[in-house]
Amino acid sequence: MLIIGEKLSIIAKRVREAMMKKDKAPIQEIALSQWKAGAGMIDANIGPAEDGGEDLMQWMVTGIQEVVPLPICLDTTNRQAIEAGLKVHNNEWGRALINSTSNDPERFPMLELAARHNARIIGLTVGKGGLPADAEERAAIAAEIMARAMEYGVPLEDIYLDPLVLQIATSQDHALKVIKAVKMFQELNDPPMKTVVGLSNISNGCPKPLRPILNNHFLALLMYEGLTAIIADPHEVAPTVKTIDVIMGNTLYAHSYLEM
Amino acid sequence: MTFTPSKETYTGKVYPVSVGTAPHEVVFGGENILPFHTFEGSSPNRPLIAHEIQDVPPYDWPEYLQKPFQDVSNDPVSWAKFCQETLGAGAIALRLIGTHPDRENRSPEDAAKTVKEVLSSITIPCIILGSNHTEKDSAVLIAAAEAAKDRNCILGKAQEANYKTIAAAAMANNHKLIAMSELDINLSKQLNILLTQMGFDKERIITDPMSSALGYGLEYTYSVMERIRLAALTQNDATMQQPILADVGLYVWKVKETQASENDVPQWGSLEERGIAWEAMTATAFLLSGAGFLIMRHPKAIEAVGKIIDELI
């Protein structure tokens, strides 16, 4: 299970302030802490970043990779900022991941960037027409994204399909639909397609003490269906990831497995 | 159409471990493939075979196994020199069996003296083994580790009951360490974790999942070794990437097939040939299941296994 550390997001006040002041120290501290907790990639979410997005993304990518030997998940709707980030990304520790393309024509150029810069890319299974109704619709959109990726020259093994997790508090019936979609996505290709979710969205809007409980239990079910990656807080999910890996036989059991 | 063999790619790699000091240092391990799958990756070092010697005369060994050493085995120094000079040994494994309370019950000081004398008479690497008495080994191996300081020996065996003191002794005197568990893959992993948590470098550990002899539980050891190797290579499990030890002679030379005389079981053929074959066969099975380091007794069995390695590597 690949954990993509979600804590470097412009939504967090401390991160936002550091981005505005171009103060590297807090950014690097958070990146380091996520790496030590088991993150295999760091998400750099700079928001829409309409002004100065290119500089900001480059500053984030180089700043993070100065302290952690990990690839970066470039998270913004600003295409120029993504491209700027890709140009400075150090591929020594793995290729960058673009977050994201979808079935919305405005997001198609992201595929072109992935092909040109040999990056991986998340395919969010939503279109211009709004949210998908069920697992079948998600799979149909996934198939369209895959066909388009091949046109642009992006190999299918470089795509992470994202079924779009919705809030349990407002869209309870979508939790099971997302789990089913993760299963269906894999069947769209052989070898199976890779899958990713933004995990904490499930508990968005819920009382704070409930959030880790919802996140971790949802994750266990998703892992059982073969989920490849999560965008999450590695500190919060590490015990679940390790435990499910042991139960599924992906890691050899030892009494101290949680400490590894 | 030409035949193309399918190839596995592995994500993990076994740590290389060095033993002894320059210019006679030897390295084993380091492969990123299952045993002898050289068509799939690299296996830069030969498996190491150490010749076993003991601190006391081996009166409990079968007579025909004592025979090759009859002129030297009453003195560990002569025995070690004989292995190095006459037999061309790659390494010596000095088993301090005489320290066992049920044997001669030699003191840690006596054991340390033996270690010092043996080390000053050989240049090849040395493995220092206790008597597998967990309490006594703690005291004996501390003294032995000090006596061998900075000779980059392999010290063993640390077990669940005594690993703290033995690992500390190995660490303080710059030795490698054998971590032994009793035919339990999960405990084998756990012991490696415990050792690294006390600050012992995981790349200085050799895993001993406990050996056995052909016909006497070999398949259990074989499966555990195989599973350790698969965890190391296919699951990239950093706690299972140590080279594996097979302590072959200790188990082989106790079983009926290496002891029963031709008079008692004429249909089994020559006892000497049978015993040598038994040790060589057991050792070969462990090489195939993942062992990179063997401790053996009969010179002819060692020679035979060396030839097998030459052919497979």
Side-chain angles (χ1 to χ4, degrees), chain B residues 30-310:
Chain B
E31 68 272 20
N32 63 356
I33 47 170
L34 288 173
F36 307 110
H37 283 217
T38 42
F39 53 93
E40 290 177 332
S42 91
S43 187
N45 305 301
R46 263 179 87 88
L48 176 64
I49 307 178
H51 288 239
E52 177 172 344
I53 68 168
Q54 303 195 342
D55 60 337
V56 291
Y59 59 80
D60 57 327
W61 292 10
E63 233 170 79
Y64 67 99
L65 174 61
Q66 291 186 36
K67 214 172 136 207
F69 313 110
Q70 62 188 2
D71 299 330
V72 291
S73 60
N74 58 348
D75 167 34
V77 170
S78 320
W79 195 351
K81 278 167 107 168
F82 174 75
C83 289
Q84 173 174 307
E85 285 157 21
T86 310
L87 301 177
I92 300 282
L94 169 62
R95 195 183 304 275
L96 299 164
I97 192 71
T99 61
H100 197 286
D102 299 339
R103 294 281 301 256
E104 287 77 356
N105 199 19
R106 299 180 73 225
S107 69
E109 294 72 31
D110 285 349
K113 194 165 161 272
T114 305
V115 166
K116 242 194 182 113
E117 288 169 359
V118 167
L119 280 172
S120 63
S121 70
I122 57 168
T123 54
I124 54 175
C126 188
I127 293 89
I128 302 164
L129 302 166
S131 63
N132 271 6
H133 184 281
T134 49
E135 276 166 53
K136 186 72 184 277
D137 274 2
S138 293
V140 167
L141 290 174
I142 288 174
E146 279 168 14
K149 189 172 173 63
D150 295 329
R151 286 292 298 263
N152 191 24
C153 296
I154 297 174
L155 197 66
K157 301 169 179 178
Q159 304 182 45
E160 200 180 4
N162 63 10
Y163 73 91
K164 283 185 183 161
T165 44
I166 296 176
M171 226 182 325
N173 297 288
N174 294 320
H175 299 305
K176 307 292 163 37
L177 182 71
I178 298 168
M180 181 190 153
S181 47
E182 296 187 347
L183 283 178
D184 184 320
I185 173 108
N186 305 105
L187 291 182
S188 162
K189 174 166 173 167
Q190 179 67 8
L191 183 55
N192 288 348
I193 295 174
L194 293 173
L195 283 166
T196 50
Q197 282 179 341
M198 65 175 279
F200 200 89
D201 181 354
K202 66 183 178 216
E203 298 185 29
R204 298 175 70 89
I205 299 173
I206 293 120
T207 291
D208 178 2
M210 192 168 178
S211 287
S212 48
L214 176 61
Y216 297 83
L218 179 136
E219 57 275 38
Y220 293 94
T221 304
Y222 191 102
S223 309
V224 173
M225 286 185 179
E226 193 176 41
R227 184 68 183 83
I228 289 176
R229 234 351 117 247
L230 288 171
L233 297 174
T234 65
Q235 298 182 328
N236 196 16
D237 188 333
T239 65
M240 296 264 77
Q241 290 173 333
Q242 292 76 13
I244 301 174
L245 163 67
D247 196 354
V248 180
L250 179 66
Y251 294 90
V252 164
W253 295 100
K254 282 187 219 165
V255 307
K256 189 179 170 192
E257 285 79 356
T258 61
Q259 309 255 1
S261 73
E262 287 148 47
N263 288 337
D264 293 341
V265 273
Q267 69 273 27
W268 283 3
S270 154
L271 172 59
E272 185 168 358
E273 230 174 83
R274 192 198 314 146
I276 292 166
W278 218 264
E279 185 173 34
M281 281 305 301
T282 303
T284 305
F286 292 144
L287 282 175
L288 296 178
S289 62
F293 171 36
L294 309 171
I295 298 174
M296 297 178 64
R297 289 181 179 171
H298 202 293
K300 284 191 177 159
I302 294 173
E303 199 188 324
V305 174
K307 278 185 194 157
I308 291 166
I309 294 171
D310 289 340

Side-chain angles (χ1 to χ4, degrees), chain A residues 77-115:
Chain A
T77 47
N78 180 339
R79 184 159 53 94
Q80 283 78 22
I82 297 264
E83 180 150 36
L86 290 171
K87 281 181 181 160
V88 296
H89 188 271
N90 182 352
N91 283 357
E92 189 182 339
W93 302 297
R95 290 181 297 141
L97 181 65
I98 297 172
N99 191 0
S100 58
T101 188
S102 72
N103 218 20
D104 177 348
E106 278 180 30
R107 300 283 196 102
F108 295 173
M110 295 291 192
L111 283 168
E112 194 192 322
L113 288 180

